[in-house]
């Protein structure tokens, strides 16, 4: 019991611990009681603040505390300036969106028609140049065969 009293008086904790802890100024040594000792005081945690219970969260179904609360705000109150829209506002926004979509679709159709017309013009130009190229190839081929005939005929005469 004397050892426990020394530990309690030397340390700053109120309950006994299997490992004796003491201040460096303690007179007990590890060889006195055959238990290991630490040379630092046992730290104590600060007590946690106590909270009051928030009470039960269960409310009966037919209670007036259940459900949305209607609130009336003045016309100058910021909370009255909600982004909620009326059906007339939604109809107006819908019509504007449809008109914008129509304009966009019309612009896309016009650009598509322009691209299609350009493709047709390029195709016609390609066909015309291809026909001219074939005509020139045939003409050059005929000239080459004519020149071979005349060249071979002139060599025979000599």
């Amino acid at each position: 019991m004397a050892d426990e009293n020394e530990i309690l008086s030397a340390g700053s904790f109120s309950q006994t611990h299997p490992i004796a802890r003491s201040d460096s100024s303690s007179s007990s040594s590890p060889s006195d009681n055959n238990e290991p000792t630490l040379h630092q005081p046992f730290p104590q945690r600060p007590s946690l603040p106590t909270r009051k219970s928030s009470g039960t969260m269960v409310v009966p179904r037919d209670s007036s505390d259940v459900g949305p609360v209607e609130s009336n705000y003045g016309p100058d109150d910021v909370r009255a300036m909600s982004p909620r829209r009326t059906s007339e506002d939604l109809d107006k926004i819908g019509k504007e969106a449809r008109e914008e979509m129509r304009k966009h679709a019309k612009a896309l159709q016009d650009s598509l028609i322009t691209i299609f017309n350009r493709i047709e013009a390029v195709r016609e130009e390609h066909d015309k140049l291809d026909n001219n190229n074939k005509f020139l190839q045939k003409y050059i081929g005929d000239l080459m065969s004519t020149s071979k005939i005349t060249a071979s005929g002139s060599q025979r005469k000599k």
Side-chain angles (χ1 to χ4, degrees), residues 97-135:
R98 278 188 230 102
E99 185 61 33
E100 187 67 29
M101 287 288 259
R102 284 187 191 111
K103 287 179 183 178
H104 188 65
K106 180 68 173 152
L108 289 175
Q109 286 175 347
D110 291 343
S111 67
L112 185 63
I113 289 170
T114 303
I115 291 170
F116 179 74
N117 291 336
R118 177 71 180 135
I119 289 171
E120 285 298 315
V122 168
R123 183 177 289 144
E124 289 173 4
E125 183 71 21
H126 174 264
D127 290 342
K128 181 180 171 185
L129 291 173
D130 192 41
N131 287 337
N132 287 341
N133 191 17
K134 287 178 182 176
F135 173 76

Side-chain angles (χ1 to χ4, degrees), residues 6-7 11 13-14 19 23 28 33 35 37 41 54 68 70 79 83 86 94 113 126 136 140-141 146 148:
E6 285 178 15
I7 293 171
F13 63 111
S14 61
I19 298 176
D23 288 336
S28 65
N33 54 9
E35 291 183 15
T37 58
S54 60
E70 295 292 328
R79 293 173 290 180
T86 63
I113 289 170
H126 174 264
L136 288 174
I140 291 171
T146 306
K148 285 181 184 177

Side-chain angles (χ1 to χ4, degrees), residues 18-145:
I19 298 176
R21 299 171 193 249
S22 64
D23 288 336
S24 59
S25 62
S26 173
S27 62
S28 65
S29 66
S31 62
D32 291 344
N33 54 9
N34 292 330
E35 291 183 15
T37 58
L38 299 177
H39 296 287
Q40 295 178 353
F42 186 70
Q44 287 201 355
R45 291 186 178 174
S47 61
L48 295 174
T50 59
R51 286 190 257 164
K52 294 181 181 178
S53 173
S54 60
T56 180
M57 299 295 286
V58 178
V59 180
R61 283 188 189 182
D62 55 346
S63 173
S64 62
D65 295 335
V66 178
V69 177
E70 295 292 328
S71 55
N72 296 323
Y73 303 113
D76 294 334
D77 193 349
V78 174
R79 293 173 290 180
M81 297 177 198
S82 171
R84 296 182 186 146
R85 297 180 173 101
T86 63
S87 61
E88 294 86 21
D89 292 339
L90 291 175
D91 290 341
K92 183 180 176 184
I93 291 170
K95 286 179 183 177
E96 289 173 358
R98 278 188 230 102
E99 185 61 33
E100 187 67 29
M101 287 288 259
R102 284 187 191 111
K103 287 179 183 178
H104 188 65
K106 180 68 173 152
L108 289 175
Q109 286 175 347
D110 291 343
S111 67
L112 185 63
I113 289 170
T114 303
I115 291 170
F116 179 74
N117 291 336
R118 177 71 180 135
I119 289 171
E120 285 298 315
V122 168
R123 183 177 289 144
E124 289 173 4
E125 183 71 21
H126 174 264
D127 290 342
K128 181 180 171 185
L129 291 173
D130 192 41
N131 287 337
N132 287 341
N133 191 17
K134 287 178 182 176
F135 173 76
L136 288 174
Q137 285 177 350
K138 185 177 181 213
Y139 179 74
I140 291 171
D142 290 345
L143 284 176
M144 294 297 284
S145 64

